[in-house]
Amino acid sequence: MRDTLCRMIMSFVGEERGNRFPGDDAPYFAEPLIGFAAADDPLFTQYKAVIGSFHLTPTELAREETPPWQPATVICWALPISEETRRGNRAETTYPSRAWALTREHGEAFNAALRRQVVRFLVDAGHHAFAPQLHPAWREYPDSPVGIASSWSERHAAYAAGLGTFSLNDALITPRGIAHRLGSVVTDLAIEPSKRPWSDHRSNCLWYREGSCGACIGRCPVGALSREGHDKGICRGYVYGAVPAAVGERYGVHCTGCGLCQTKVPCEDRIPVGKVSPLAARLGEES
């Protein structure tokens, strides 16, 4: 069932028309990365301390279902943004490229369609399933102790599923890089969890791993990034306020994203090696 599910996700991303630019055959996203986490992984409980008590575990979300049921697995994926779109965004210094903005709005609509497709596939196979991002219990908390947050974090779910680790700009660095969209579905289908082959939750980021890089700091046009991390308030004001106001109408979208700190950086499309690779760092700790 795991292999059949993965093939379905791969096929949907590769063939579905929604993963195409308007009037073009070029895709928003390349081949996805897929990972699995146990629904009862202690990380999901720990996130209540890391993110906030409002962050819901898979079990808490499943209890909101009618009737309630017991989840077994969190299915996660990363949709890498196409190389052509990333290349165009590298050249930008103030606002995102049009292709990046279209990927943020229409590509994320495709990501939502993928969530619904995975749920439908599992339900048709006789299982319970839901997408946390589309769940009625999903809430956003703009003034939480960690800044803007929500009751389900796709990034933290993806980390639990072994898809990557966190970066200085709060994004997730996967084996295919930091420029992507994430999604997840919770189900009662039991699937063996993916391994987390990292030394710690930040080991893919050169800044945290060895104190080098910091390229994303210089890519931010409004100073939302520094050696101390990511100022979510400044970032959100720019991404959801200033950028759409400046280019949204011209690009024909409401949500533009930004992505400057996710392009023209060493982790754009890979885990940067640096002086010590993440795997070598882990092997060193275990020896």
Side-chain angles (χ1 to χ4, degrees):
M1 186 64 174
R2 176 191 184 279
D3 292 343
T4 303
L5 174 64
C6 288
R7 284 195 297 269
M8 184 278 293
I9 293 173
M10 293 284 190
S11 176
F12 192 82
V13 174
E15 300 174 9
E16 181 64 25
R17 185 66 209 172
N19 185 28
R20 297 289 185 276
F21 280 90
D24 195 345
D25 224 23
Y28 294 118
F29 304 113
E31 185 176 279
L33 300 175
I34 304 171
F36 305 91
D40 62 356
D41 190 311
L43 274 177
F44 290 108
T45 300
Q46 293 173 27
Y47 291 159
K48 286 184 170 293
V50 174
I51 300 171
S53 59
F54 52 82
H55 193 272
L56 300 174
T57 68
T59 299
E60 288 172 328
L61 282 165
R63 286 175 184 162
E64 297 287 330
E65 296 283 281
T66 306
W69 47 271
Q70 184 62 41
T73 304
V74 183
I75 304 161
C76 299
W77 58 84
L79 300 175
I81 293 174
S82 73
E83 198 281 331
E84 184 176 357
T85 297
R86 289 186 283 105
R87 183 171 61 247
N89 216 49
R90 286 177 215 144
E92 303 296 334
T93 57
T94 304
Y95 302 120
S97 68
R98 180 176 183 272
W100 188 277
L102 291 176
T103 299
R104 172 59 184 87
E105 180 150 306
H106 302 310
E108 183 53 33
F110 168 76
N111 194 15
L114 176 57
R115 292 181 179 100
R116 290 190 288 269
Q117 176 68 15
V118 173
V119 169
R120 188 179 306 115
F121 174 87
L122 292 163
V123 170
D124 287 348
H127 297 282
H128 294 290
F130 61 79
Q133 198 78 10
L134 305 178
H135 198 281
W138 187 90
R139 298 286 186 277
E140 189 173 67
Y141 297 86
D143 300 314
S144 82
V146 296
I148 299 152
S150 63
S151 54
W152 181 263
S153 168
E154 299 284 31
R155 289 178 299 117
H156 287 76
Y159 170 74
L163 289 181
T165 77
F166 296 94
S167 61
L168 182 64
N169 62 7
D170 275 342
L172 196 82
I173 302 176
T174 75
R176 296 285 298 281
I178 198 171
H180 52 67
R181 303 296 300 173
L182 300 171
S184 63
V185 163
V186 176
T187 180
D188 61 356
L189 171 64
I191 300 176
E192 182 179 356
S194 305
K195 293 181 180 179
R196 293 192 284 268
W198 327 113
S199 57
D200 62 55
H201 69 287
R202 289 172 165 173
S203 64
N204 291 350
C205 176
L206 288 177
W207 176 256
Y208 289 121
R209 192 163 82 235
E210 59 189 40
S212 67
C213 192
C216 58
I217 297 173
R219 284 288 284 161
C220 181
V222 290
L225 297 173
S226 69
R227 294 180 179 182
E228 283 67 52
H230 176 209
D231 188 313
K232 290 185 177 181
I234 294 175
C235 178
R236 186 178 180 85
Y238 187 67
V239 173
Y240 290 95
V243 180
V247 299
E249 185 176 353
R250 174 156 50 99
Y251 291 166
V253 296
H254 298 289
C255 292
T256 60
C258 175
L260 296 185
C261 68
Q262 296 176 13
T263 50
K264 205 177 180 181
V265 291
C267 58
E268 177 187 311
D269 64 345
R270 68 196 68 194
I271 298 170
V273 175
K275 300 173 185 176
V276 181
S277 72
L279 181 58
R282 177 164 187 167
L283 292 175
E285 290 179 358
E286 293 177 350
S287 63

